[in-house]
Amino acid sequence: VLGLRGNQDLHTARAHVERVMGFEGTKEHVHQAKHNVSEAGNPANVSIAHWVAGAHAQLPLRTHTVDLVVSRNFFMHLDIDTLESHVKDLARIIRPDGQCILSILNPDYQKKKYTQAHPFSSVLVEGQSYVFPHGPRGSLGGFVHYFKSTATYESIFSRYFHISEKVACHPRTDSLRETHPHYYDHDIPMAYVYVLSMQQHNKKNMM
């Protein structure tokens, strides 16, 4: 699981599995994730590790030993070469009948929010590094993102997996409509969730 510093992520991850490995990219996030594990009673089947994605960095897991990978809003922080390397490594660690469930911010949503925050800047282009504003009008700071189109994501995914499902995500509650009105553009989903299958990809390659 890439990212376990949210309590809901932790409880969902450990509900029906034998073992959960959580990876965080900063020591601060590792500390937060371990705090959440402690609050959950330090279950023996959950462990947290510090791991930083890189163009040639492999996860510290053996080949074909993982049933399910869950990654939430992580891939936007990777440049294109690192994303390719990381997805290839996910295909290495997942069992032949395993799956990867991941979410990304919709690139069209990213473009819209970036334009609202930088009305006099040029439109984002493929591979561009930029600061994505966090919170209403960037009031909570920002995250470094590398812009990638939906086509780029799906091209990379398809080289190593079969895209079994793609779900457009919209808010399920109106509780943020006043403070975060940009979440509620029904023409532009905030995010996409992908289900990537190894088994179907392997069958396709055997044909």
Side-chain angles (χ1 to χ4, degrees):
V1 179
L2 301 172
L4 265 186
R5 63 184 180 276
N7 275 317
Q8 187 58 45
D9 298 328
L10 172 61
H11 291 302
T12 301
R14 63 182 285 255
H16 304 289
V17 297
E18 180 179 341
R19 185 185 179 198
V20 176
M21 282 289 297
F23 294 97
E24 291 289 356
T26 69
K27 292 181 179 180
E28 291 80 7
H29 290 164
V30 168
H31 177 76
Q32 181 61 56
K34 287 184 176 180
H35 173 73
N36 292 337
V37 172
S38 175
E39 287 193 332
N42 287 313
N45 68 332
V46 177
S47 56
I48 307 297
H50 181 217
W51 179 80
V52 179
H56 302 288
Q58 287 192 335
L59 285 158
L61 297 168
R62 297 192 305 275
T63 299
H64 301 327
T65 57
V66 177
D67 294 302
L68 175 66
V69 168
V70 179
S71 176
R72 183 169 63 87
N73 293 345
F74 169 63
F75 286 6
M76 298 87 63
H77 304 290
L78 307 180
D79 61 49
I80 294 174
D81 289 342
T82 302
L83 174 65
E84 172 102 32
S85 176
H86 182 55
V87 173
K88 181 179 180 180
D89 193 45
L90 294 181
R92 175 188 66 82
I93 66 172
I94 292 179
R95 297 181 191 275
D97 60 347
Q99 288 186 321
C100 179
I101 301 175
L102 60 93
S103 67
I104 61 168
L105 282 180
N106 177 5
D108 290 333
Y109 172 79
Q110 289 179 277
K111 276 187 175 181
K112 179 179 177 181
K113 191 167 182 181
Y114 179 82
T115 300
Q116 290 173 341
H118 306 88
F120 303 107
S121 299
S122 58
V123 177
L124 290 172
V125 297
E126 196 75 16
Q128 179 178 337
S129 171
Y130 72 100
V131 176
F132 183 80
H134 179 42
R137 298 178 177 82
S139 59
L140 299 178
F143 300 110
V144 175
H145 283 193
Y146 290 87
F147 181 78
K148 297 171 287 291
S149 66
T150 303
T152 295
Y153 278 114
E154 294 182 0
S155 175
I156 292 175
F157 296 161
S158 297
R159 281 199 277 278
Y160 305 98
F161 294 91
H162 171 75
I163 300 175
S164 302
E165 191 173 0
K166 175 184 177 182
V167 180
C169 300
H170 297 275
R172 300 179 63 183
T173 172
D174 285 332
S175 63
L176 299 174
R177 187 176 291 276
E178 184 174 338
T179 56
H180 298 73
H182 50 283
Y183 286 2
Y184 295 88
D185 186 339
H186 292 288
D187 294 327
I188 303 179
M190 278 186 62
Y192 290 113
V193 171
Y194 288 88
V195 179
L196 308 181
S197 165
M198 282 298 298
Q199 188 173 49
Q200 294 184 48
H201 178 76
N202 293 337
K203 287 181 178 179
K204 179 180 177 182
N205 288 343
M206 292 173 62
M207 293 179 179

